[in-house]
Amino acid sequence: MPTELNNILNYMQITENIASSGQPLESEFAVIASAGYDVIINLAMPNSQNAIPSEGHLVTSNNMIYIHIPVLFDAPELFHLESFINIMEIFADKKVWVHCVKNYRASAFLYHYLHVSRGFSDAEAQKVILPSWEPNEIWQRFIRIDPKRV
């Protein structure tokens, strides 16, 4: 795995095939591709801080699949999470990179995916939440929701 991955904002290697981060720089998509990632999932809004308007083009020009699930930071919804989990299931045999602006949304969504779909214990799944992040009340509530109830 290229050491350049460590330079990507708030990079975390979650499993052998899943990583998360904050917004990669334009040049970092080539690094992600060279590390063997097949899919990029962007959970940030298109007008988020440091958003790259041509991100879809950058990703696909590096022979990766680009999926954008724009999630308002102040209003994550269950349907966002359900969409995310379904997409993660579709690409379960691929290397997937999930990002947002700072790796807050991404880590909260990955917590649910690992806990619900991959059978990680709550304690194991909580380890993917970015350690430096202190979720506000909105995100604490989101992390506590049970996506299996739907």
Side-chain angles (χ1 to χ4, degrees), residues 59-131:
V59 170
T60 57
S61 68
N62 279 287
N63 297 314
M64 296 181 290
I65 295 168
Y66 180 69
I67 298 167
H68 190 192
I69 306 172
V71 178
L72 283 168
F73 191 76
D74 294 336
E77 299 285 345
L78 188 57
F79 77 88
H80 294 122
L81 180 59
E82 291 167 338
S83 298
F84 175 77
I85 289 173
N86 287 334
I87 290 165
M88 290 296 289
E89 288 295 318
I90 290 167
F91 293 110
D93 62 338
K94 302 287 185 194
K95 286 187 80 170
V96 179
W97 189 285
V98 183
H99 84 81
C100 56
V101 177
K102 299 284 187 186
N103 198 2
Y104 299 166
R105 281 171 271 222
S107 62
F109 275 65
L110 282 166
Y111 158 79
H112 280 295
Y113 169 69
L114 294 172
H115 189 52
V116 171
S117 296
R118 298 283 296 273
F120 282 45
S121 71
D122 183 63
E124 288 176 308
Q126 290 237 4
K127 291 178 185 175
V128 306
I129 296 175
L130 188 67

Side-chain angles (χ1 to χ4, degrees), residues 128-139:
V128 306
I129 296 175
L130 188 67
S132 61
W133 180 37
E134 293 182 25
N136 64 21
E137 187 177 316
I138 292 167
W139 284 95

